Amino acid sequence: MGSCAGCAWFLLCLALAALGPNHQAAGGCSGRCCQSRDRSCVTEDWSMERVFGSCYCDQGCARTKDCCFDYFTECPAHDCAVGKWSYWSGCAEPCQPSVRVRVRHVERQPSNSGEPCPNLQQQAGCREYRDHQGGHCGLNTGPAFITSMEFGQGRHKHDSYGNQLDPGYCMEFKMESRTPHCTVESRPHTHWMRYITEGFKVCVACRPPARRNNTGSCQGDGQESDKEAVLRWQAVGNPRCSGTWRRIQKTRQCDCPPQHSFLFI
């Protein structure tokens, strides 16, 4: 009889464990969900391994596999939730290559092993053509300042009267040299610089407002230089990323691959 009673008790234990979250017990994780790894977040109940005893309801139990049977029901994971990106700010400095910023905010913090929050701020190279008083900046001769073609998506396509702006033109160059600093930067707004490769043809679009009204050209586009002249360029957003190129030709539209397509700024 004692042996049969022991078998019955064992079968009852298995049945209760198999009930999983439906098993009503005094322990469990109800009201006990804890962040991080917290050894004090413990109770007596069935574990997920079907062993009765000490089990945990903290965020680290999923990794150590000692959660109570109802952890994932009582403490569901919530990923971080963020809002939409704000509009891009103006350039930090007028009349020179600088950076602009956009941000987004956390709407819900992650919990119970949910995905952490992504980057909440982005920066990108930019250049303003008016000073703080609204006057036009003087454009001096110098290197061509370039940025990712993606930057052009934020530029206005129409003037204040709704008229479409001049689409500009494209200059093709053969990349002659670049500094090693173009590939060592890891900030998000500098990733496009990694694709600046020596020996490849690159396309650079000249569009308003970088296109000067008095000459119809962009600074450093090489139109006034000999075709064999070695010209200088500099990446906006990382002044140590710079180099040289030679002008190939002027075209109406850029037809280079996206990673080799840039924008005068």
Side-chain angles (χ1 to χ4, degrees):
M1 289 294 291
S3 176
C4 291
C7 291
W9 184 88
F10 180 73
L11 292 173
L12 176 62
C13 290
L14 289 180
L16 290 173
L19 290 175
N22 295 320
H23 171 51
Q24 300 296 321
C29 291
S30 179
R32 289 190 175 91
C33 303
C34 304
Q35 299 298 313
S36 186
R37 184 56 174 161
D38 185 350
R39 301 298 298 183
S40 66
C41 195
V42 62
T43 186
E44 292 290 319
D45 209 322
W46 294 98
S47 73
M48 297 185 69
E49 300 296 324
R50 298 187 176 185
V51 177
F52 190 87
S54 297
C55 58
Y56 294 85
C57 302
D58 62 311
Q59 195 169 336
C61 74
R63 184 178 66 256
T64 53
K65 300 188 183 303
D66 53 6
C67 301
C68 293
F69 72 95
D70 61 349
Y71 173 74
F72 290 103
T73 301
E74 296 294 335
C75 309
H78 292 292
D79 296 340
C80 176
V82 297
K84 294 182 179 180
W85 286 110
S86 68
Y87 291 106
W88 284 103
S89 70
C91 290
E93 297 290 339
C95 301
Q96 60 180 313
S98 185
V99 293
R100 57 179 182 159
V101 179
R102 66 177 182 176
V103 298
R104 56 185 175 183
H105 300 285
V106 175
E107 296 184 344
R108 184 184 66 204
Q109 292 287 350
S111 62
N112 303 326
S113 302
E115 289 295 321
C117 295
N119 183 30
L120 300 177
Q121 177 176 300
Q122 285 186 341
Q123 291 184 333
C126 65
R127 184 175 183 179
E128 296 285 2
Y129 289 87
R130 290 181 180 273
D131 57 28
H132 290 307
Q133 289 71 43
H136 287 282
C137 301
L139 293 174
N140 302 318
T141 58
F145 293 104
I146 63 172
T147 189
S148 166
M149 186 68 80
E150 184 181 1
F151 177 79
Q153 297 176 2
R155 284 183 165 177
H156 296 295
K157 303 298 188 298
H158 300 83
D159 61 20
S160 57
Y161 299 100
N163 301 314
Q164 186 172 359
L165 294 173
D166 190 325
Y169 58 88
C170 183
M171 293 298 296
E172 295 180 356
F173 298 93
K174 180 183 178 183
M175 190 63 65
E176 295 288 329
S177 68
R178 66 166 188 188
T179 60
H181 300 94
C182 299
T183 58
V184 298
E185 284 277 1
S186 59
R187 294 174 293 174
H189 71 283
T190 64
H191 285 173
W192 64 272
M193 302 175 192
R194 300 177 181 180
Y195 299 104
I196 301 176
T197 308
E198 296 170 349
F200 279 79
K201 181 185 80 170
V202 298
C203 297
V204 190
C206 178
R207 301 170 183 168
R211 188 177 185 184
R212 295 172 285 188
N213 293 330
N214 58 334
T215 64
S217 62
C218 286
Q219 177 175 315
D221 65 6
Q223 289 196 81
E224 301 174 0
S225 304
D226 183 85
K227 194 171 184 179
E228 296 301 315
V230 177
L231 308 171
R232 294 182 299 124
W233 59 267
Q234 179 178 315
V236 176
N238 177 10
R240 296 190 298 175
C241 177
S242 60
T244 59
W245 57 24
R246 295 179 189 268
R247 177 169 57 89
I248 298 175
Q249 62 178 344
K250 176 182 177 181
T251 61
R252 294 191 62 177
Q253 294 183 332
C254 294
D255 63 356
C256 293
Q259 63 268 29
H260 292 153
S261 297
F262 309 109
L263 186 71
F264 287 109
I265 194 169

